Amino acid sequence: MIYGYARASTNEDKQDINRQIRELKKENCEEIYFEYEHGDSAVKPQLSLLLETVKEGDTILTLEVSRLARSTKQLCEIIDTVKQKKICLDIIGSIKVDC
């Protein structure tokens, strides 16, 4: 299964997340998780739910590193989780972690 993840830093009145969702749909994401959470927030509920939901062999797509993580530490933790669960991660045009 191919999952998409989109995040905007501010609420929907101030920042439109629809561009990210449209782009993820173009990439054939079967289900898209999205949220409005400040990048520095330690807990991103939809990202946490997505990481709990994916199964071995699934793929997570996102458009930019900054949509997924706001620090190198956060990114490394996510990549570790991806590798442990044997799922693929594709940050389009940037980082690709094979299953």
Side-chain angles (χ1 to χ4, degrees):
M1 179 126 173
I2 301 173
Y3 293 91
Y5 177 72
R7 183 186 61 78
S9 307
T10 59
N11 68 36
E12 56 194 291
D13 295 333
K14 294 182 182 177
Q15 191 173 23
D16 182 13
I17 202 167
N18 291 322
R19 178 194 61 85
Q20 292 177 60
I21 293 170
R22 281 191 307 271
E23 292 296 319
L24 291 168
K25 285 180 180 178
K26 285 181 188 175
E27 295 293 329
N28 299 317
C29 289
E30 298 167 65
E31 191 169 338
I32 298 172
Y33 287 69
F34 66 93
E35 60 196 328
Y36 292 91
E37 288 288 332
H38 190 271
D40 296 332
S41 175
V43 177
K44 294 177 183 69
Q46 290 298 302
L47 179 57
S48 296
L49 180 60
L50 173 57
L51 291 171
E52 290 173 17
T53 301
V54 291
K55 294 177 179 37
E56 185 175 332
D58 287 345
T59 298
I60 295 174
L61 292 178
T62 192
L63 299 179
E64 303 167 15
V65 173
S66 65
R67 299 302 91 205
L68 188 64
R70 294 299 282 178
S71 70
T72 303
K73 181 182 178 210
Q74 283 179 339
L75 180 60
C76 289
E77 289 169 353
I78 292 167
I79 290 173
D80 285 345
T81 299
V82 162
K83 288 181 176 180
Q84 288 171 6
K85 293 191 80 159
K86 297 179 182 174
I87 59 176
C88 301
L89 172 66
D90 189 354
I91 303 171
I92 299 171
S94 182
I95 296 171
K96 189 167 191 166
V97 177
D98 293 324
C99 328

